[in-house]
Amino acid sequence: MLPDIDEITQLDQQEEQQIGQLPREYQDYLNRLEQDYLSACSTFTIIRNFLLTLTANSANISLCFLAIDFGLGTVSSGLLGFALGSIPAMIDIGESGINLASDCKIKDISRVVFGTSKLLASAGISWNATKEYRQLMQYANESIQAFEYEVKTYEVKVQPTDNLTINFQFQLLFSFSLGLALLPLLINLFKRRW
């Protein structure tokens, strides 16, 4: 069970009274220890956030490439990467103390701004990771369209002459070639009979 707010304030007041009873040099020493501890915690938090952001955005890039290799589209793979890369930003925004229940008060606006900048960085990294693939796909589509256009223009240029279709011309050519190939056999067959 969580302690009540009144109990916590009473404990804080008791601590302050006990600290007030200590000699001045002990109070200075405790204040210095407290400042060092808070500084170390702040440094640890900064390092942890940096490593978490670095890891998530590296995984963002890897997931984008892996999703493209598995055949997902560039938009889908970019969104997957962004979802993974935005985790540290969501943690920062969540830890900032946004309370939607009571008039949307924010305890620490700097963390919200920092989290939003991480969110934008993650979106930029996802966009950049899939940029080359999007350009490659656009180039491939343009090449396919150009090829189709060339095929259509070639088909228009190579129209069959004398109202014969190309297929019929091939059949005539094949029959003529077959007849020439079988001609010596037919001549030998007729010579034997006569």
Side-chain angles (χ1 to χ4, degrees), residues 15-27 30:
E15 269 184 33
E16 289 176 10
Q17 288 175 358
Q18 289 175 353
I19 290 174
Q21 295 172 358
L22 293 174
R24 182 74 180 154
E25 58 191 35
Y26 287 132
Q27 289 178 9
L30 289 176

Side-chain angles (χ1 to χ4, degrees), residues 182-194:
L182 294 177
L183 189 62
L185 290 174
L186 290 174
I187 292 174
N188 284 338
L189 185 64
F190 284 123
K191 282 184 182 179
R192 287 185 189 167
R193 288 208 170 202
W194 301 106

Side-chain angles (χ1 to χ4, degrees), residues 118-185:
K118 283 183 183 180
L119 200 61
L120 292 174
S122 176
I125 288 171
S126 294
W127 180 262
N128 239 1
T130 58
K131 181 180 179 182
E132 186 176 331
Y133 286 101
R134 282 193 314 274
Q135 290 173 347
L136 186 64
M137 286 182 179
Q138 182 180 5
Y139 177 72
N141 286 335
E142 290 172 358
S143 298
I144 290 170
Q145 289 172 355
F147 178 74
E148 288 174 352
Y149 177 75
E150 287 179 16
V151 166
K152 286 179 184 177
T153 57
Y154 183 74
E155 286 175 354
V156 169
K157 289 179 185 175
V158 183
Q159 288 296 323
T161 57
D162 300 332
N163 294 330
L164 295 175
T165 63
I166 293 176
N167 193 14
F168 186 65
Q169 288 175 352
F170 282 132
Q171 288 176 356
L172 282 176
L173 183 65
F174 181 71
S175 301
F176 182 70
S177 300
L178 187 61
L180 284 176
L182 294 177
L183 189 62
L185 290 174

